[in-house]
Amino acid sequence: MTGLDHEHSEVITLGARRLIEVPPHVRGRPAVPWLKSQFPMTTAEAIESIRLANLVRSGGLDDGAS
């Protein structure tokens, strides 16, 4: 596995992808509660999704889309 799928649970990967795809002004709420409303995840998993999305945005990790 490479990119977002490497060493992360599916829900963390899905959460990170959703954060990348949906801009903050569309979400309209803080990321952790928004992620938990979108996916069956724990607070720790939501935080990891945010970390992973930020890593992809910064160019530190390939999102696997290319």
Side-chain angles (χ1 to χ4, degrees), residues 2 4 6 10-13 22-23 25 32 34 37 44 47 49 58 65:
T2 61
L4 285 180
H6 183 67
E10 183 176 358
V11 73
I12 292 170
T13 301
V22 180
H25 70 276
V32 170
W34 183 80
S37 75
I47 292 167
S49 290
S58 71

Side-chain angles (χ1 to χ4, degrees), residues 16-57:
R17 286 179 195 247
R18 184 74 55 90
L19 279 172
I20 291 166
E21 294 168 356
V22 180
H25 70 276
V26 173
R27 293 193 305 263
R29 58 196 288 189
V32 170
W34 183 80
L35 280 168
K36 290 176 72 175
S37 75
Q38 300 293 303
F39 300 101
M41 62 171 43
T42 66
T43 298
E45 289 170 325
I47 292 167
E48 183 62 14
S49 290
I50 294 165
R51 188 196 70 75
L52 188 57
N54 288 338
L55 188 60
V56 170
R57 286 184 190 121

